[in-house]
Amino acid sequence: MNEPAITPDLIESHGLKPDEYQRILDIIGREPTFTELGIFSAMWNEHCSYKSSKKWLRTLPTKGPQVICGPGENAGVVDIGDGQAVVFKMESHNHPSYIEPYQGAATGVGGILRDVFTMGARPIAAMNSLSFGAPDHPKTRHLVHGVVEGIGGYGNCFGVPTVGGEVRFHAAYNGNCLVNAFAAGLADADRIFYSAASGVGMPVVYLGAKTGRDGVGGATMASAEFDDTIEEKRPTVQVGDPFTEKRLMEACLELMATGAVISIQDMGAAGLTCSAVEMGDKGGLGVKLQLDDVPQREENMTAYEMMLSESQERMLMVLRPEKEAEARAVFEKWDLDFAIVGETIPEDRFLIMQGNEVKADLPLSKLSSEAPEYDRPWVETPPPAPLGEVPQVDPVEGLKALIGSPNYAAKQWVWEQYDTMVMADTARTPGLGAGIVRVHGTTKHLAFTSDVTPRYVKANPEEGGRQAVAEAFRNLCAVGARPLACTDNLNFGNPEKPEIMGQFVGAIRGIGAACSALDMPIVSGNVSLYNETDGEAILPTPTIGAVGLLADTDEIIGCEVREGHLALVLGETSGHLGQSALLAEMWGREEGDAPPVDLVAERRHGEFIRDNREWITACTDLSDGGLALAAFELAEGSGVGVQIDEGDTAFLFGEDQARYLIACDFDQAEALMAAAARAGLPIASVGRFGGDTVRLGSSEAPLAELSTLYRSAFARAVG
């Protein structure tokens, strides 16, 4: 088959700038073949090379005594004691999900699960963070339904519980939804599998499903803005099969137990290209592939298509040759393809053969190490204008504005479509703060949360970045968990615009400061840039996924309040209304600065909650919607009323940070207040739980009426 001529238009369609193409010519000393151009395009795009973000990602704290493996592998690995480790990561599937919501979201879940079990861990929990356009935008309902069904369809069939997440709506996502998928798994701390190849002449083995033409060019598509040609990009979206993935996981874990695996890498973005290059580069070896041996489900596939296909449920492995028969038997038992498609070689070469023809012959290390790295120009985000006057509102009317919005209404319409209890270890399902999963066969539990407030980040990227980490920290502490580590999913617009790059730099600085102060290093993550359509960027959305450890079942802090419980607030309330949920939902105003984050107070208050858990019956952090929303959610979840004594708008709806709402009986409250006084921490009684009404100051409404609004608003908006 004749390959197309390399023209400036072809180079541009591969996402390569003229100077980047010149760099390719300088490296190989000749014009690349069409397949080689595709390989360079895949390895040098933003999605695989992190060329705009590497400089700043290096500034993040990634180490700690609990960290077994930080960024750079398929997922991060953190010690949880007793020879066990939790393996976790968060990754985006934004562009594919906007083009084809069901398959885009489904394969996002499949990809993140593979990242976890590639490391030798059995997945035990999933979460997702979803951002959609305005509820009344013509595309939003279609996207919400497709994405939620895709996540549920894949995760439920695979058999992993979805235990947490978040859903938001904002017009900035009208042309570019965000689908951030998180997965965590358990492994033996001394049985972690890595991707670096070792040994010369070792067989390179293809595992799993066959290669088709789906997803060709997917990584390049994910590194570009959208425009009116979006429908033409549909073939770049992969198609998932969760039942094949389940078999692939079982086969891989069985194979790993035999000692046959030298290194293993899942075929995600850029498929066969990226997995082979990463394994060779990390091991300082070359790789030779014979494409005739690649299992194919379509006829007459070209080398270009095979190297860039992102067909799902596939792995690449370097195998101990003496174990070949044993390994093949495992995969045949699970009815999966097992094919030796190449070998490791001592030279620094990536040699691709099809028949007797050389389709690509490139210096392998240059594909990874020589990828462009940019110090993009950036400008500091200017300080927001001061907040204008905020009128006093009837507190119940303010609460109704929040709970009647799909942003703050109950999300059971979403999570009831997910299997939250499969594997029977889920101790707390979504909707009640951080999700909790028991470490099977022990009394230990792991807590999971996902957090970011994009409007804070837009107003003040550094403060917004700090706040995302701080809120994750609070959500873990509120259930009694000791925060261990984070994964990040950094979603931004076009980094070639200095103001967007400035948002990225500011957010990274804030995230780094908070992770250091709160001992929550970043152990894995993903950067998703170019989230723009027709030049309109999303809100900067650096999602933080965090994991915490509970050493025993009795360390879990509950979430049920009872008649007669007192309501206490730990932390200072100044009534910060800038960028608040009340402003946005009541008046459509996005004004003022993000709330300041005091990291010393965050740490002290979180430690106080964990150290005094025996006096706390129920706890939640205060964030969006302030005290009014938190008190309502805690009360409504238990079916009892609540009375907050103060009726001032700023007191009820302010979003000051480092605060917790605590429910406990009178004797516990006395003990807590005495302990806080000894520690010099601010704590105050603000009301009580009980009855069948919600009373805020002198304004009240029946709990049943508010509960109906809260439980129906989401489905009414998009259901």
Side-chain angles (χ1 to χ4, degrees), residues 31 51 67 79 89 109 249 255 269 272 311 323 364 378 441 450 485 525 577 632 650 661:
E31 189 175 87
K51 59 190 175 187
V67 178
D79 195 331
K89 188 183 184 184
V109 174
M249 176 191 73
L255 185 63
L272 199 49
S311 294
K323 297 273 193 177
L364 185 141
W378 59 278
S450 157
L577 286 170
F632 169 78
L661 174 62

Side-chain angles (χ1 to χ4, degrees), residues 50-311:
Y50 294 93
K51 59 190 175 187
S52 298
S53 56
K54 260 188 207 162
K55 170 189 161 93
W56 298 101
L57 296 176
R58 290 192 191 103
T59 66
L60 291 170
T62 59
K63 294 184 169 63
Q66 72 276 42
V67 178
I68 295 171
C69 174
E73 277 292 338
N74 286 292
V77 186
V78 174
D79 195 331
I80 60 167
D82 308 311
Q84 293 179 302
V86 60
V87 178
F88 63 96
K89 188 183 184 184
M90 189 172 232
E91 205 161 61
S92 59
H93 232 221
N94 304 336
H95 287 60
S97 298
Y98 188 73
I99 296 167
E100 174 44 70
Y102 185 95
Q103 291 297 349
T107 52
V109 174
I112 201 68
L113 290 168
R114 279 197 306 285
D115 281 338
V116 167
F117 69 74
T118 302
M119 303 287 293
R122 181 174 290 276
I124 59 159
M127 293 191 295
N128 51 76
S129 175
L130 311 177
S131 304
F132 298 105
D136 58 358
H137 186 269
K139 212 160 171 171
T140 297
R141 188 173 288 225
H142 163 70
L143 290 170
V144 172
H145 280 257
V147 164
V148 171
E149 287 167 14
I151 291 168
Y154 204 101
N156 296 354
C157 293
F158 179 86
V160 64
T162 298
V163 299
E166 50 189 347
V167 187
R168 69 180 58 83
F169 297 86
H170 192 283
Y173 304 103
N174 280 350
N176 201 127
C177 64
L178 301 183
V179 175
N180 294 177
F182 169 99
L186 284 175
D188 292 336
D190 60 352
R191 297 280 295 158
I192 305 298
F193 288 81
Y194 298 100
S195 58
S198 65
V200 172
M202 296 295 165
V204 174
V205 184
Y206 174 112
L207 307 168
K210 289 178 167 54
T211 294
R213 290 186 171 92
D214 56 321
V216 172
T220 302
M221 174 273 292
S223 304
E225 292 183 38
F226 285 148
D227 53 28
D228 54 12
T229 64
I230 183 170
E231 284 303 316
E232 297 167 19
K233 296 184 169 76
R234 195 174 296 276
T236 60
V237 179
Q238 313 90 332
V239 178
D241 177 356
F243 296 107
T244 299
E245 176 123 335
K246 175 74 171 170
R247 300 200 321 270
L248 180 63
M249 176 191 73
E250 296 295 352
C252 285
L253 294 179
E254 187 175 329
L255 185 63
M256 288 165 171
T258 68
V261 178
I262 295 174
S263 70
I264 188 164
Q265 174 78 32
D266 95 288
M267 288 196 227
L272 199 49
T273 291
C274 199
S275 53
V277 170
E278 285 190 15
M279 288 168 81
D281 187 52
K282 285 177 184 169
L285 294 165
V287 172
K288 177 183 178 182
L289 297 179
Q290 174 51 259
L291 296 185
D292 297 359
D293 298 326
V294 171
Q296 297 158 56
R297 66 166 185 259
E298 300 187 45
E299 292 183 1
N300 303 318
M301 288 189 71
T302 65
Y304 178 94
E305 289 169 333
M306 277 193 267
M307 293 308 296
L308 298 189
S309 165
E310 293 182 10
S311 294

Side-chain angles (χ1 to χ4, degrees), residues 429-444:
T429 54
L432 299 166
I436 304 176
V437 173
R438 180 166 56 106
V439 177
H440 196 76
T442 75
T443 58
K444 290 186 297 194

